[in-house]
């Protein structure tokens, strides 16, 4: 958080001078609010209650309005001299934002810093400078002795001079310590009072994370499309072409020896099998029909291919985003795979509808139930994929069935 | 017989040309995208087109859309669509206007040279060629309608009808006599409540009902 660290440094170290510069530079800014608050009393002494109230309220209002400017000055000081970033709060500096600013707790924390912590820290700054000055002055007492003519130091060398010099040296050693202490205190107070509050910070972090996760999910989806396209344009076409040529050879070559023909036939069959496998694999990634015709068409494709009757109802008047469509497709196809593998169901129903910015999917089957999301099936992956777009995923699957999966995917309308 | 081929992969386009020429057809043009296909069809007025579903620029369903345009604008031209995956929606769209001279096959089928050429011939002759995978999918799904009353054998016969085969073709495939096929087909018509009045179209109607597009 801060760049302070150990409290002791040699007086000649860069660190000691940096801290000293920092605390000294803080004094005028830190005193600003205090001076404003005190100014009525320096001009005249308020006597009546009204006068006292005015003398309190007017400066306080001025400080409230000027709090952000003061904070900005402090932020610049921290950044320029310590390299420490005090994150800005969201409040605006405009006049329109004044009322909002007065109501915000961030403003009051800042006022707290400028009014209460400020004078204390300014005192710390002054103390630091005084420590250095006194240290220098006293440590050089012996030096004066040499510089002044003998007539001016009638007592000659005295024990007092020695004590004073020693005290000066001690003060010089103490000065970096004081400077570092004040710097550390200032950094802590600034971080907690001038920056955004912990709740605000967490909220901002959540927003950042949500945004970056959405980016990752979109990127993964785009990647799946790219792989599908690459396989389709590359490997798949080559394999089809290969199988076609082998097929042609098989049909048209008549004068080949039997064992050569056997090899051709085998290669042909292998190529066709490879094509089937590749087709199944690519299909699972991201079918082109999903982009072209949307969820309804893509889901009727997998429903038709399923080894059990599927009643499909899709009521999505307006298409969702490509990512949400991809997740919905994935949920349906994985669920179908699970049902046909494990559920021993006689039929399945899939309903997809769009209600107020939510794509709601209900997938139910009349199988044996007992599906357990923690059991290493595709269910955990399904839940993860749904949550990746901030969706909700619920499954009820008592032993004996039926199994009902509900997934709700948010989609902006 | 002149054919226009639309396929964006050069490798496969060359293969398709070779394949079609092997069967004795003339390739009038071979193009790489849907716009080129429509231009070529306009120019050459071929007897048939073979078109890939996914083509530039978007690589989604350009081929299907071009096929629909061709079927609307030049209904006499036979259209054979090749798809990476069998998509019910595409098949239903292609068949919705009429089922003559149209085919929808999985792209992999070109590897089965004789079966592919057989399908191409059927389409050019004004018949239908549906991928066995479409047919089996639809068959699996339609379990809760009059089709339930069909025996497994009748179902097989109907599936082969849907693929676009003739009675003789069905007989050969199932290794039975022509009369047995005719008997099965009559039973199918009866069970699907298709009266003899629409004798000419019964075959198509049965297939359409089977595909749930009619």
């Amino acid at each position: 958080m801060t760049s302070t660290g150990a409290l002791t440094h040699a007086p000649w170290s860069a660190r000691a001078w940096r801290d000293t510069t920092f605390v000294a530079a803080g004094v005028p800014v830190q005193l600003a609010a205090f001076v404003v608050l005190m100014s009525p009393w320096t001009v005249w002494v308020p006597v009546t209650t009204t006068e006292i109230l005015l003398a309190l309220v007017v400066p306080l209002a001025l400080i409230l309005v000027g709090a952000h400017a003061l904070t900005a000055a402090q932020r610049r000081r921290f950044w320029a001299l310590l390299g420490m970033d005090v994150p800005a709060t969201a409040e605006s500096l405009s006049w329109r934002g004044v009322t909002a600013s007065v109501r915000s707790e961030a403003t009051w924390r800042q006022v707290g810093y400028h009014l209460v912590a400020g004078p204390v820290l300014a005192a710390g700054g002054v103390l630091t400078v005084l420590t250095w000055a006194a240290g220098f002055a006293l440590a050089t007492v012996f030096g004066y002795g040499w510089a002044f003519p003998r007539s001016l130091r009638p007592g000659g060398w005295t024990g007092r001079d020695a004590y004073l010099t020693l005290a000066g040296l001690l003060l010089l050693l103490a000065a970096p310590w004081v400077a570092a202490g004040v710097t550390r205190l200032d950094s802590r107070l600034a971080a907690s009072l001038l920056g955004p509050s912990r709740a605000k910070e967490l909220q901002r972090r959540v927003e950042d994370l949500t945004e970056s996760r959405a980016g990752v999910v979109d990127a993964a989806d785009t990647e799946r499309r790219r792989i599908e396209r690459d396989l389709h344009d590359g490997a798949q076409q080559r394999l089809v072409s290969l199988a076609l040529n082998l097929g042609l050879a098989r049909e048209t070559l008549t004068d080949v020896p039997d064992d050569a023909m056997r090899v051709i036939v085998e290669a042909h069959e292998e190529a066709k099998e490879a094509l089937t496998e590749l087709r199944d694999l690519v299909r699972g990634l991201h079918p082109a029909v999903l982009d072209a015709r949307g969820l309804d068409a893509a889901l009727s494709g997998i429903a038709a291919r399923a080894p059990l009757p599927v009643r499909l109802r899709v009521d999505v008047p307006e298409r969702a985003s490509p990512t949400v469509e991809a997740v919905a497709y994935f949920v349906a196809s994985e669920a179908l795979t699970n049902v046909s593998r494990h559920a021993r169901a006689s039929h399945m129903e899939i309903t997809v509808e769009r209600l107020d910015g939510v794509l709601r999917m209900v997938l139910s089957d009349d199988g044996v139930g007992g599906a357990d999301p923690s059991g290493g099936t595709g269910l955990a992956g399904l839940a993860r994929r749904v949550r990746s777009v901030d969706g909700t995923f619920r499954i009820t699957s008592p032993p004996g069935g039926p199994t009902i999966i509900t997934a709700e995917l948010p989609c902006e309308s | 017989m002149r054919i226009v081929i639309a396929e964006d992969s050069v490798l496969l386009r060359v293969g398709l040309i070779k394949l079609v020429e092997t069967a004795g057809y003339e390739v009038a043009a071979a193009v790489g995208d849907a716009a080129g296909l429509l231009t070529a069809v306009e120019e050459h007025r071929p007897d048939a087109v073979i078109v890939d579903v996914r083509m530039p620029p978007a690589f989604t369903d350009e081929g299907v859309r071009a096929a629909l345009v061709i079927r609307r604008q030049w209904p006499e031209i036979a259209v054979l669509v090749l798809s990476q995956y069998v998509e019910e929606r595409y098949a239903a769209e292609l068949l919705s206007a009429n089922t003559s001279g149209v085919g929808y096959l999985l792209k992999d089928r070109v590897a089965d040279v004789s079966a592919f050429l057989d399908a191409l011939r059927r389409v050019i002759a004004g018949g239908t060629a549906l991928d066995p995978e479409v047919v089996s999918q639809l068959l699996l799904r339609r379990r809760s309608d009059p089709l339930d009353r069909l025996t497994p054998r009748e179902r097989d016969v109907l599936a082969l009808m849907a693929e676009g085969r003739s009675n003789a073709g069905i007989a050969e495939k199932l290794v039975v006599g022509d009369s047995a096929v005719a008997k099965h087909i009559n039973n199918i018509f009866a069970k699907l409540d298709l009266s003899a009045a629409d004798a000419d179209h019964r075959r198509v109607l049965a297939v359409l009902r089977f595909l749930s597009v009619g």
Side-chain angles (χ1 to χ4, degrees):
Chain A
M1 175 178 86
T2 73
S3 49
T4 42
L7 281 175
T8 46
H9 298 280
W12 53 86
S13 72
R15 177 66 168 277
W17 290 107
R18 191 199 63 180
D19 287 352
T20 306
T21 319
F22 172 76
V23 297
V27 175
V29 199
Q30 281 155 343
L31 283 180
F34 186 70
V35 167
V36 170
L37 192 69
M38 287 298 139
S39 52
W41 273 270
T42 59
V43 181
W44 96 106
V45 181
V47 184
T48 67
T49 322
T50 329
E51 277 176 349
I52 291 175
L53 269 179
L54 263 177
L56 279 174
V57 169
V58 172
L60 195 62
L62 281 174
I63 291 165
L64 254 179
V65 171
H68 288 297
L70 278 175
T71 305
Q74 292 287 15
R75 199 172 284 131
R76 273 196 295 280
R77 180 172 69 104
F78 276 96
W79 178 246
L81 297 172
L82 285 190
M84 171 182 158
D85 182 33
V86 180
T89 53
E91 283 76 17
S92 98
L93 287 169
S94 73
W95 278 105
R96 210 149 39 103
V98 164
T99 45
S101 151
V102 168
R103 271 201 298 268
S104 98
E105 53 89 38
T107 305
W108 287 100
R109 275 190 293 118
Q110 289 175 23
V111 169
Y113 176 90
H114 298 310
L115 268 185
V116 183
V120 175
L121 291 165
V126 172
L127 179 70
T128 311
V129 174
L130 285 179
T131 310
W132 280 112
F136 273 115
L138 295 177
T140 46
V141 161
F142 259 67
Y144 310 151
W146 287 106
F148 295 135
R150 188 169 282 270
S151 58
L152 285 180
R153 41 184 173 90
W157 299 111
T158 65
R160 204 187 52 183
D161 289 346
Y163 286 130
L164 285 177
T165 305
L166 186 63
L169 287 173
L170 286 177
L171 279 177
L172 279 182
L173 281 176
W177 187 85
V178 176
V182 176
T183 303
R184 178 181 269 203
L185 181 65
D186 199 354
S187 308
R188 288 212 175 151
L189 286 171
S192 62
L193 295 177
L194 295 184
S197 70
R198 185 113 184 95
K200 278 267 168 57
E201 183 79 335
L202 283 175
Q203 189 188 342
R204 194 180 57 79
R205 227 175 123 57
V206 166
E207 279 163 15
D208 282 359
L209 287 174
T210 309
E211 199 176 304
S212 67
R213 189 193 51 186
V216 169
V217 171
D218 286 348
D221 186 43
T222 311
E223 189 63 7
R224 257 188 291 276
R225 266 165 231 254
R226 193 189 62 75
I227 295 172
E228 192 267 350
R229 168 80 73 84
D230 284 357
L231 284 174
H232 174 264
D233 291 347
Q236 238 170 358
Q237 308 284 19
R238 275 158 203 273
L239 259 181
V240 172
S241 180
L242 172 69
L244 166 59
N245 282 315
L246 285 169
L248 270 175
R250 190 176 170 177
E251 296 281 327
T252 53
L253 297 181
T254 44
D255 52 351
V256 235
D258 272 359
D259 40 350
M261 182 48 89
R262 210 164 35 244
V263 171
I264 293 177
V265 168
E266 255 172 47
H268 186 222
E269 294 302 322
E270 286 282 329
K272 286 199 289 182
E273 256 174 58
L275 264 176
T276 310
E277 280 173 23
L278 189 59
R279 184 149 45 87
D280 289 347
L281 170 77
V282 172
R283 169 103 212 171
L285 285 172
H286 188 101
V289 70
L290 181 57
D291 287 336
R293 303 289 158 99
L295 264 181
D296 191 9
L299 292 184
S300 39
I302 47 170
R305 247 184 316 280
L308 75 166
V310 177
R311 179 176 300 160
L312 176 71
R313 193 171 70 80
V314 180
D315 182 14
V316 185
E318 197 187 336
R319 288 185 65 171
S321 74
T323 302
V324 167
E325 280 191 343
V327 172
Y329 175 82
F330 177 80
V331 168
S333 84
E334 278 294 294
L336 254 172
T337 312
N338 275 342
V339 168
S340 47
R341 266 194 211 145
H342 310 293
R344 297 206 290 279
S346 72
H347 78 274
M348 183 173 181
E349 285 195 28
I350 301 179
T351 312
V352 184
E353 52 194 343
R354 188 166 177 167
L355 314 154
D356 305 328
V358 173
L359 194 70
R360 187 160 192 271
M361 315 179 71
V362 181
L363 309 102
S364 57
D365 67 71
D366 61 349
V368 293
D372 180 9
S374 59
T377 51
L379 284 170
L382 264 188
R384 260 203 308 278
R385 190 88 185 261
V386 168
R387 288 191 191 113
S388 76
V389 292
D390 273 332
T392 57
F393 180 87
R394 280 188 305 274
I395 177 166
T396 62
S397 184
T403 300
I404 300 172
I405 291 176
T406 315
E408 289 185 350
L409 311 169
C411 39
E412 323 73 44
S413 30
Chain B
M1 285 289 153
R2 290 155 68 249
I3 293 179
V4 168
I5 295 171
E7 161 65 59
D8 59 297
S9 153
V10 181
L11 209 56
L12 204 50
R13 193 156 69 220
V14 172
L16 278 172
I17 295 173
K18 210 186 324 176
L19 179 61
V20 167
E21 283 174 347
T22 307
Y25 298 115
E26 181 197 335
V27 176
V31 298
D33 58 33
L37 170 64
L38 294 179
T39 320
V41 168
E42 174 95 68
E43 190 189 329
H44 299 286
R45 297 298 167 92
D47 298 290
V49 298
I50 299 175
V51 52
D52 182 14
V53 168
R54 281 173 82 171
M55 279 189 294
F59 295 95
T60 52
D61 60 349
E62 289 80 3
V64 177
R65 282 189 269 133
L68 289 172
V69 171
I70 293 170
R71 280 179 70 61
R72 212 173 33 243
Q73 230 164 312
W74 301 283
E76 71 283 0
I77 298 178
V79 174
L80 179 57
V81 174
L82 299 181
S83 177
Q84 197 66 55
Y85 313 103
V86 160
E87 299 296 354
E88 230 185 306
R89 201 53 60 87
Y90 296 159
E93 265 177 11
L94 287 167
L95 295 167
S96 59
N98 66 70
T99 56
S100 66
V102 61
Y104 179 75
L105 291 185
L106 206 54
K107 207 175 203 177
D108 306 6
R109 301 289 175 220
V110 298
D112 282 317
V113 175
S114 56
F116 177 76
L117 291 177
D118 185 38
L120 182 60
R121 259 190 294 277
R122 281 209 304 274
V123 172
I124 291 176
T128 318
L130 271 190
D131 199 283
E133 188 164 313
V134 191
V135 174
S136 64
Q137 280 173 18
L138 295 167
L139 189 61
L140 196 83
R141 222 148 76 83
R142 318 280 174 226
R143 277 185 191 161
S144 54
D145 48 39
L147 293 170
D148 283 349
R149 300 198 293 262
L150 301 184
T151 65
R153 195 56 164 180
E154 286 161 0
R155 218 180 273 255
D156 292 342
V157 171
L158 183 54
L160 289 166
M161 275 167 68
E163 282 182 32
R165 290 176 197 273
S166 65
N167 282 17
I170 296 172
E172 189 192 336
K173 187 92 182 173
L174 296 178
V175 206
V176 293
D178 281 3
S179 61
V181 172
K183 208 182 79 202
H184 285 312
I185 292 178
N186 273 326
N187 286 343
I188 293 169
F189 290 161
K191 287 182 179 176
L192 296 183
D193 299 322
L194 296 168
S195 70
D198 0 77
D200 288 347
H201 300 300
R202 279 200 294 183
R203 211 179 167 85
V204 172
L205 288 175
V207 169
L208 284 177
R209 186 152 311 171
F210 171 63
L211 298 175
S212 292
V213 290

